[in-house]
Amino acid sequence: MLGHRARGTTRTSLGLLFSGLMVLAACDGENLFTSPSLPGGSGGGLGGGAPSVQIEAPVGDSTSAKPIGDSVLVTARIRDNTGIKTVQFDGFAFRGDESLGTNEVVARYETKVVDLLAPVGDTVLSRFLVATADSTRETAHLIVTATDTLGNAASDTVSILIGGPDVQLLNLEGGETIQSGRTLSLRVMARDPGGVRSVEVILGGVVSQTVSEAINPVVDSVLVDVAVAIPAGAEGDLQVLARARNNLDIIGQAGPFNLRVSTSEAADNTAPSLTFTQESRARLEIQDVLRIDLSGADDNQGSGIATAGYTVVGRSPTRGTTEVVTGQTAFNPPLTGNVAATFEVPVFHVDQLSLPDTIAYEITAWLVDSAGNCAASTGADERESLECGTLATGQTVATDRTGLRIDRVIVDGQTVLLPTGGKIMDAAVDAPRQNLYLSNIERDRVEVFDLETSSFQQAVAVGSEPWGITMDNGGDNLLVANSGGTNISSVDLTPASPEEDVTGRILTPDVVFFDVLLNEDENGADRYIVTFLPQVGGPAFSDRPQYLAVDGNNRILYSTRTTEIGDLGTIRRAIRQQSFLQPEIRVFYEHTEHTENENATAIGNVDAVTATSGGSAVIITDHVLGEPGNTFVSAAADPSSAALNIQGQGSDVVWLPGRLWNLPGIGFRDTTYVAASGDGDWVVFGEGAANPIGRIIMYESAQDALSDAIPVSDILVNAAETVRGVGLNYDGTLGVARGDLAYFFTTDLRLQGTADLPSGGAGAVLHPLHANAVSLANQAGQYRPDTHIAFVGTGEGTVDIIDTFHFFRSGRIFIRGNVVGPLKAVLPFPGDNAGLTCSTIQVTDEDGAAIGTALDMFAGDDFQSPHPAQGGPTEDACIALKLFGVTDTGGVVVINVRKGDILRDHPARQ
């Protein structure tokens, strides 16, 4: 009854209003809180009468609905001959049973009172009513009460369902006349926090049709566009109703809206109206687009929209040049009602050899109806109908108006984003197959991106939470550190669709150390006490692999990640031989000092250490390398003798007389990066911890041992710096650590130089053919400016190019985001430099062996004599190498590093 509009009486106070509503809650008939309609549509207050109040929105029928907690917009028209003084907006629900005395009035929306500064005779007011915290699903009543200057008051009320979907028909108001033979374009918006399950549009009258759309999966907000063909020759009334159903099967509704369909064809001289929005990043890559979302409509009696289009003028402030692109889409038959169109405009008018390049884009959108009326927009907040004009080159723009201007910086690189979501942790490049492999930690798989076609191929399922990835030495397998478990996957890359070798997964065992302590018992006899480590409640190790590399002897060197429960990371090696049934895993312990105790012996790399009955001796148990089930034991003896005995049987046991294991020193407290030299002779570990101070640790493959370890404070300027990336050159003669600055060191961890960097960012890598650097261990080395360069990610959205002999920035590459993970580098792919003049030189390592050809950038290896940009043996457009880095945009950036990039800040180019 309360949703039914009828004539009734008025009340002069809100208290009387509430009591009247309670009385009427159970009756049928008139709504006593709808103001009387006055003759001629005039306001109330004639002869001292009450105002006229009519709520125009929401409609207030039985299926008008709002989600729980949603505000509601109430619009009311109020008229009065003597002048309106105040208007009050309320929203209440009525609960209980009056006959039982349990009835109550519950506020569902906060009251709003509008005091008019001067009396108004006729006005339309709209106010948002904010929902209270009540979460009950029920019918509520929206009440608008107006009081005039004489104290007369009147109200109107409508009902809505709280707990149903909010439905709106965005482009109909009711009362429009539609031309037959055209298309009616409708747009429905439905919202519900609990999820919208379906939307339907119901038409009755001259067109009887129901259009339904299931929403799967359900969403909390949806826009649905429906196009309805109006038959030629049709004439009469048309009703339009929109409904939505939420996940609780509750229906919300908008309408019905009454339209008139006519066959008469009046002359159309009115232009459409429109606006648009544009979407683009402040930094754009060459592959990016400017997205233009246009919305508009023809007038209600118009001939319908025939064409929607855009014009973009691109201006280069540096070059003083201009380029124009335009595009359009046609509608056949023309569309009445709301029209939407989306255009994607590729980045244009860019000098790709001078990136970053700033371009000013001026955007105009336009609509043309079938009568030829044209309207333009330059991006105003509301729809507009600017007069159309044309440029000298013929493109449509707004007359005497400049389009919406956006200044965009065009940067280098191509950012690869995951096609189905997730998070990239690391990348590996398969140069022969031209594939980029990305570890997707949230989807437990490796994504495969074809660099030649710029498309994703079938992903490879691996283990839990894949993190670090690297190519194996043979180039046909990809190793994946599954950080959500304690294993490493091996992906076979030889099939057309790569897949994990399910028999080749490396299962890493629990790591146990043993402390043997000689104590005197209560009888004065010496007894051995064996403690296995880690102990419950003490420092523990994480076995979950993080980053990894492969050395020249096919060993896997990897770090393990710290855990939320405080487990320490470690650095380890997996020893692999063809005869092994299972790789052997060894934890590095040599990088720390262990606790001195003259009565102790620290023992590791064995299966078990036990004391004999009575504790007078110890027995060590181990297995044949690579054969876990084939075990042997030592003779019972003191710890050192037992270790020597089992070593003679083939064990790789380690023992430290006079020491106890220092587990905190063995462990790592933050992300630890791993990188190998190109020839696999060296591996570097970089610990990210700042407290205690992190470490940079070198491993030498030929000796199968750590060659040196040094606190990062001995290399980095600030002891509180953390390592955020490490890299080694081809033969290990130079390394780089990424801290707040870039730090360059040799295998003996002697600092060779530093390069200033902007704050933030991560990642560091040397040229793939960087080799034979001068050091104390390689004094015959020589400086080669063509390859002796490094690439370091910064927090300013750049990759800085550092000369590793002079240690200054020779170039800078601007990219879309910041590198936040490791950087990888490979030589150009075949065909990358097709059609260019790109001379190359042979590169050798410290032993004089040829390792590949690099781009020839300097005459006679002379740093002071770079080849000219054009006209020499090598053009600036030639690609010297390709970079790959994980960025904070959620993707991996692929960068073609050109000669011009490397020489941009060279003294000879200034």
Side-chain angles (χ1 to χ4, degrees):
M1 181 206 72
L2 291 174
H4 173 69
R5 295 185 182 279
R7 294 186 180 183
T9 62
T10 62
R11 295 284 186 262
T12 57
S13 71
L14 199 56
L16 288 175
L17 175 64
F18 291 162
S19 62
L21 281 171
M22 295 304 297
V23 169
L24 290 168
C27 72
D28 294 323
E30 297 180 340
N31 175 3
L32 300 185
F33 303 98
T34 300
S35 299
S37 299
L38 297 178
S42 61
L46 292 176
S52 168
V53 181
Q54 183 177 8
I55 297 177
E56 297 181 344
V59 175
D61 49 51
S62 60
T63 52
S64 290
K66 280 290 179 183
I68 290 174
D70 234 16
S71 299
V72 60
L73 178 64
V74 181
T75 300
R77 183 177 184 186
I78 304 118
R79 292 170 292 169
D80 187 272
N81 284 344
T82 63
I84 307 300
K85 182 179 180 182
T86 62
V87 180
Q88 180 166 318
F89 295 77
D90 296 281
F92 296 91
F94 301 95
R95 299 176 187 169
D97 188 330
E98 185 179 12
S99 64
L100 300 176
T102 60
N103 57 308
E104 61 176 334
V105 178
V106 180
R108 294 307 307 267
Y109 295 95
E110 297 178 6
T111 296
K112 285 198 175 179
V113 178
V114 180
D115 291 314
L116 301 178
L117 297 178
V120 177
D122 190 342
T123 186
V124 175
L125 294 178
S126 295
R127 290 296 184 272
F128 274 103
L129 299 188
V130 178
T132 63
D134 199 317
S135 60
T136 306
R137 297 180 184 274
E138 61 187 341
T139 297
H141 309 286
L142 305 176
I143 307 161
V144 177
T145 304
T147 304
D148 65 16
T149 55
L150 300 177
N152 299 310
S155 301
D156 191 17
T157 179
V158 298
S159 61
I160 62 170
L161 175 63
I162 298 180
D166 177 24
V167 184
Q168 298 180 46
L169 254 171
L170 298 180
N171 53 337
L172 283 184
E173 296 180 357
E176 293 97 332
T177 298
I178 306 298
Q179 184 71 42
S180 63
R182 295 179 182 156
T183 300
L184 176 62
S185 179
L186 303 172
R187 171 164 282 195
V188 181
M189 183 183 74
R191 299 183 303 111
D192 193 300
V196 177
R197 197 174 75 190
S198 65
V199 173
E200 65 179 358
V201 175
I202 304 169
L203 297 99
V206 295
V207 176
S208 181
Q209 183 180 353
T210 298
V211 180
S212 300
E213 182 168 337
I215 311 300
N216 187 16
V218 298
V219 294
D220 57 10
S221 178
V222 66
L223 281 173
V224 175
D225 289 302
V226 176
V228 179
I230 307 298
E235 191 163 20
D237 294 330
L238 177 64
Q239 294 81 41
V240 180
L241 178 71
R243 287 180 175 174
R245 190 182 301 269
N246 69 9
N247 229 7
L248 297 176
D249 214 29
I250 299 174
I251 296 175
Q253 175 176 308
F257 296 89
N258 296 311
L259 311 178
R260 179 71 182 169
V261 176
S262 174
T263 58
S264 61
E265 293 205 18
D268 182 3
N269 298 313
T270 304
S273 62
L274 73 153
T275 188
F276 70 89
T277 59
Q278 75 80 30
E279 181 181 338
S280 59
R281 296 180 174 87
R283 288 189 177 191
L284 295 171
E285 297 170 347
I286 296 295
Q287 301 80 13
D288 285 335
V289 296
L290 309 173
R291 178 187 168 108
I292 301 171
D293 289 310
L294 178 156
S295 65
D298 201 7
D299 63 295
N300 292 336
Q301 285 74 43
S303 55
I305 302 298
T307 310
Y310 69 87
T311 300
V312 182
V313 179
R315 303 184 189 277
S316 170
T318 56
R319 300 189 299 276
T321 55
T322 298
E323 183 179 348
V324 183
V325 298
T326 187
Q328 63 184 48
T329 185
F331 304 108
N332 188 18
L335 296 181
T336 58
N338 191 73
V339 173
T342 296
F343 302 99
E344 292 188 343
V345 185
V347 167
F348 67 97
H349 199 46
V350 179
D351 181 358
Q352 297 192 41
L353 298 183
S354 299
L355 300 180
D357 192 8
T358 299
I359 303 295
Y361 292 114
E362 297 168 359
I363 306 172
T364 303
W366 43 267
L367 291 176
V368 180
D369 65 20
S370 61
N373 300 304
C374 180
S377 170
T378 56
D381 292 337
E382 302 295 333
R383 290 181 179 178
E384 55 187 343
S385 298
L386 301 177
E387 180 183 354
C388 292
T390 56
L391 298 173
T393 48
Q395 296 88 352
T396 300
V397 291
T399 300
D400 298 327
R401 295 283 293 270
T402 300
L404 174 68
R405 173 169 172 152
I406 57 171
D407 293 325
R408 293 295 179 264
V409 178
I410 317 303
V411 296
D412 222 322
Q414 175 187 2
T415 297
V416 178
L417 298 175
L418 294 177
T420 57
K423 183 178 182 181
I424 299 171
M425 301 306 295
D426 201 4
V429 188
D430 184 353
R433 298 175 181 86
Q434 295 193 27
N435 282 336
L436 176 65
Y437 305 114
L438 310 172
S439 57
N440 190 337
I441 195 170
E442 294 180 353
R443 300 295 297 275
D444 298 333
R445 67 193 200 183
V446 171
E447 310 284 354
V448 182
F449 185 74
D450 187 325
L451 290 162
E452 187 173 14
T453 63
S454 293
S455 62
F456 278 94
Q457 308 301 306
Q458 180 176 320
V460 183
V462 289
S464 175
E465 299 182 14
W467 195 310
I469 55 177
T470 192
M471 298 290 292
D472 213 342
N473 286 340
D476 288 335
N477 289 280
L478 180 75
L479 298 175
V480 184
N482 297 317
S483 70
T486 57
N487 51 75
I488 297 171
S489 290
S490 178
V491 176
D492 185 0
L493 303 176
T494 57
S497 296
E499 59 185 4
E500 181 179 0
D501 177 4
V502 295
T503 64
R505 184 175 289 191
I506 299 172
L507 307 178
T508 63
D510 190 18
V511 175
V512 180
F513 290 94
F514 301 91
D515 277 337
V516 181
L517 189 62
L518 183 62
N519 278 340
E520 187 179 284
D521 66 13
E522 65 275 8
N523 298 319
D526 289 337
R527 296 287 183 263
Y528 289 106
I529 299 174
V530 179
T531 303
F532 70 88
L533 303 170
Q535 287 280 300
V536 175
F541 294 142
S542 163
D543 297 319
R544 300 162 64 177
Q546 187 171 39
Y547 285 113
L548 71 173
V550 180
D551 74 357
N553 289 306
N554 203 35
R555 305 181 190 98
I556 303 173
L557 288 300
Y558 66 99
S559 60
T560 63
R561 62 184 290 191
T562 58
T563 67
E564 294 180 358
I565 62 174
D567 291 343
L568 299 171
T570 59
I571 55 175
R572 308 183 181 194
R573 67 190 184 280
I575 305 168
R576 299 183 292 172
Q577 294 183 17
Q578 192 169 4
S579 61
F580 282 10
L581 300 177
Q582 181 175 306
E584 291 289 339
I585 309 299
R586 295 291 179 261
V587 173
F588 287 110
Y589 61 87
E590 303 93 329
H591 50 281
T592 188
E593 294 291 334
H594 297 282
T595 305
E596 293 186 11
N597 188 314
E598 62 181 8
N599 296 319
T601 302
I603 300 177
N605 290 0
V606 295
D607 295 342
V609 179
T610 58
T612 59
S613 178
S616 60
V618 297
I619 297 173
I620 302 175
T621 303
D622 204 359
H623 63 269
V624 175
L625 290 177
E627 301 180 29
N630 188 357
T631 61
F632 48 86
V633 297
S634 72
D638 64 85
S640 292
S641 298
L644 283 169
N645 181 269
I646 204 167
Q647 185 182 61
Q649 299 181 57
S651 171
D652 63 345
V653 60
V654 296
W655 71 100
L656 306 177
R659 295 289 188 273
L660 295 169
W661 291 115
N662 173 14
L663 295 194
I666 293 174
F668 294 78
R669 289 163 178 78
D670 205 340
T671 298
T672 299
Y673 295 91
V674 185
S677 60
D679 59 9
D681 285 351
W682 295 88
V683 175
V684 62
F685 300 93
E687 181 184 10
N691 185 23
I693 294 172
R695 290 157 287 187
I696 295 174
I697 300 168
M698 292 291 292
Y699 167 82
E700 188 175 5
S701 176
Q703 302 299 321
D704 187 21
L706 298 185
S707 65
D708 213 341
I710 190 169
V712 296
S713 58
D714 289 359
I715 290 182
L716 277 59
V717 170
N718 185 346
E721 285 187 64
T722 63
V723 174
R724 299 193 295 275
V726 291
L728 288 177
N729 69 352
Y730 181 86
D731 52 13
T733 51
L734 191 74
V736 58
R738 171 67 166 90
D740 289 344
L741 308 179
Y743 300 89
F744 297 90
F745 56 88
T746 46
T747 53
D748 55 4
L749 294 180
R750 298 289 296 171
L751 183 64
Q752 300 303 311
T754 63
D756 288 338
L757 296 173
S759 61
V765 68
L766 292 139
H767 189 291
L769 297 182
H770 191 303
N772 199 26
V774 178
S775 69
L776 290 175
N778 185 40
Q779 297 191 32
Q782 63 182 85
Y783 168 51
R784 297 170 178 161
D786 295 298
T787 59
H788 282 197
I789 47 180
F791 304 86
V792 188
T794 80
E796 291 187 347
T798 69
V799 175
D800 282 7
I801 304 173
I802 308 298
D803 180 286
T804 63
F805 187 78
H806 301 97
F807 304 105
F808 81 104
R809 189 181 76 201
S810 67
R812 167 172 274 194
I813 301 170
F814 287 79
I815 57 176
R816 181 190 292 174
N818 296 322
V819 176
V820 293
L823 271 173
K824 307 290 177 70
V826 298
L827 294 175
F829 294 156
D832 274 350
N833 287 324
L836 300 174
T837 302
C838 304
S839 176
T840 59
I841 57 171
Q842 187 74 37
V843 181
T844 57
D845 64 9
E846 63 177 326
D847 297 323
I851 60 175
T853 59
L855 196 67
D856 180 13
M857 295 184 289
F858 295 86
D861 263 351
D862 181 3
F863 174 77
Q864 304 298 333
S865 304
H867 292 312
Q870 299 289 334
T874 306
E875 302 175 26
D876 269 13
C878 294
I879 297 173
L881 70 153
K882 303 171 87 75
L883 288 179
F884 304 84
V886 179
T887 70
D888 57 6
T889 62
V892 167
V893 63
V894 182
I895 308 170
N896 288 324
V897 182
R898 303 179 186 274
K899 173 193 162 196
D901 298 321
I902 295 171
L903 298 177
R904 179 164 298 149
D905 294 334
H906 191 279
R909 293 289 180 93
Q910 304 306 305

